[in-house]
Amino acid sequence: MSATTFAEKPERRAEEKRKRRPRYGSYALELGMAAAAVVFLFPVYALLTLALKDPRQIADSPLSLPAPPTLGNFGDAWTSASLASALVNSAIITGFSLLLLIVLGSTGAYYLARTAKGLGYGLYVLFLLGIVLPFQLGMIPLYKLVDNLGWLGTYHGMVLFYTGIQLPFTIFLYTGFIRALPADYAQAALIDGCDHRQAFTRIVFPLLRPITGTVIILNAVFVWNDFFTPLLYLGGSGKETVPVGVFSFVGQYVSDYGLVFAGLVLAALPILLVFLVLQRFVIKGFAGGLKG
């Protein structure tokens, strides 16, 4: 046996000992992650627990497990607070806003991503400024504009408002992702006889599914959860969205916390389902944008 083999044996034994040695840093990291998970999950636990309790159980022990759980709060919340109409209003406004954002954002970003100089670069900088500047700065002139157009208390007024507010952020996401895509696909389609519209709709847009899922999730969460804008533009019209409906519901039934938290659960379920279905696209979309 060679001298090299004898020299390697102590090194191998030392390496095996290091592998068998407890990794206290790894254990501490796992404990820290578990503690963080408990902190983040506690509000969800409290929400579900209170929604499944009657007033007597809430008064006795609000954070203990319901014994027995009751589903009556959900039915009462659905009928008493007009959550059905509020959910329909939120679905209409959110759905049409997302449709416009996807169509306008993807087509505009395609032009900006393929035009590096001149007008395209200037427009891209303007859209970035739209992300930086808070829209609350223009709430008074925007309200006067919507009032003069007669769009207060209408669906299309809210849809156009959210489209304009979220379009810079949407174009920012799409532009970064499109820049990471090879331009050869669209150029090959143009050589084969397609025009720019056909090359985008048939070749480029199907490749944008990851970032489109990201756009849907982020914009849907913003539009669905927005409270101030619907309160200002839809207040008293009968077309209030879910956050405004839950707010009035809390004020009316403030003494019955079971109904209040059941209403919150019903309000959060639709957007939570959308997130669970499309969550795998979020990381893919951001990763593609970062590569660009």
Side-chain angles (χ1 to χ4, degrees), residues 124-177:
Y124 183 68
V125 172
L126 288 178
F127 279 115
L128 292 182
L129 290 177
I131 299 175
V132 175
L133 296 177
F135 74 92
Q136 289 85 356
L137 294 176
M139 287 304 298
I140 295 177
L142 284 174
Y143 183 86
K144 291 183 177 179
L145 176 63
V146 174
D147 187 20
N148 293 334
L149 293 173
W151 290 352
L152 288 178
T154 61
Y155 290 134
H156 55 273
M158 292 300 303
V159 169
L160 292 178
F161 178 87
Y162 283 126
T163 302
I165 293 299
Q166 292 298 104
L167 188 59
F169 179 64
T170 303
I171 286 183
F172 171 74
L173 293 177
Y174 270 121
T175 302
F177 193 88

Side-chain angles (χ1 to χ4, degrees), residues 5-281:
T5 305
F6 284 109
E8 289 178 351
K9 284 185 177 181
E11 295 180 358
R12 291 178 181 177
R13 294 193 189 98
E15 182 67 23
E16 291 177 357
K17 289 182 179 179
R18 284 195 295 268
K19 290 181 179 179
R20 292 195 297 266
R21 187 181 303 167
R23 299 179 180 179
Y24 297 105
S26 177
Y27 295 154
L29 179 60
E30 292 177 359
L31 290 176
M33 294 176 63
V38 171
V39 171
F40 281 103
L41 290 176
F42 179 76
V44 179
Y45 166 79
L47 177 66
L48 295 176
T49 300
L50 293 172
L52 294 173
K53 286 184 176 183
D54 56 35
R56 181 185 56 81
Q57 295 183 32
I58 294 177
D60 294 339
S61 53
L63 294 180
S64 63
L65 291 174
T70 176
L71 298 177
N73 291 330
F74 294 95
D76 295 339
W78 183 267
T79 57
S80 301
S82 301
L83 283 181
S85 60
L87 287 170
V88 172
N89 296 333
S90 289
I92 292 174
I93 294 173
T94 304
F96 281 101
S97 299
L98 291 176
L99 179 62
L100 285 178
L101 286 170
I102 291 172
V103 173
L104 298 177
S106 60
T107 53
Y110 178 68
Y111 171 77
L112 297 177
R114 296 294 181 244
T115 307
K117 299 180 180 179
L119 180 62
Y121 180 77
L123 290 175
Y124 183 68
V125 172
L126 288 178
F127 279 115
L128 292 182
L129 290 177
I131 299 175
V132 175
L133 296 177
F135 74 92
Q136 289 85 356
L137 294 176
M139 287 304 298
I140 295 177
L142 284 174
Y143 183 86
K144 291 183 177 179
L145 176 63
V146 174
D147 187 20
N148 293 334
L149 293 173
W151 290 352
L152 288 178
T154 61
Y155 290 134
H156 55 273
M158 292 300 303
V159 169
L160 292 178
F161 178 87
Y162 283 126
T163 302
I165 293 299
Q166 292 298 104
L167 188 59
F169 179 64
T170 303
I171 286 183
F172 171 74
L173 293 177
Y174 270 121
T175 302
F177 193 88
I178 293 174
R179 284 176 177 170
L181 293 177
D184 300 340
Y185 298 119
Q187 292 175 358
L190 294 175
I191 294 175
D192 290 339
C194 294
D195 55 24
H196 287 283
R197 178 184 60 83
Q198 293 172 334
F200 175 76
T201 55
R202 297 180 182 180
I203 305 299
V204 178
F205 188 75
L207 299 175
L208 302 180
R209 283 178 293 180
I211 194 62
T212 299
T214 305
V215 166
I216 290 174
I217 290 177
L218 297 180
N219 286 314
V221 170
F222 174 82
V223 176
W224 188 274
N225 292 332
D226 186 28
F227 169 74
F228 178 71
T229 306
L231 180 66
L232 186 64
Y233 288 85
L234 299 176
S237 65
K239 297 180 180 179
E240 291 87 354
T241 56
V242 169
V244 180
V246 172
F247 175 74
S248 61
F249 177 63
V250 170
Q252 185 177 2
Y253 298 96
V254 67
S255 61
D256 196 339
Y257 291 102
L259 290 179
V260 171
F261 284 95
L264 292 175
V265 172
L266 292 174
L269 276 179
I271 199 66
L272 180 61
L273 292 176
V274 172
F275 178 79
L276 292 177
V277 172
L278 300 177
Q279 64 174 336
R280 62 190 180 94
F281 292 111

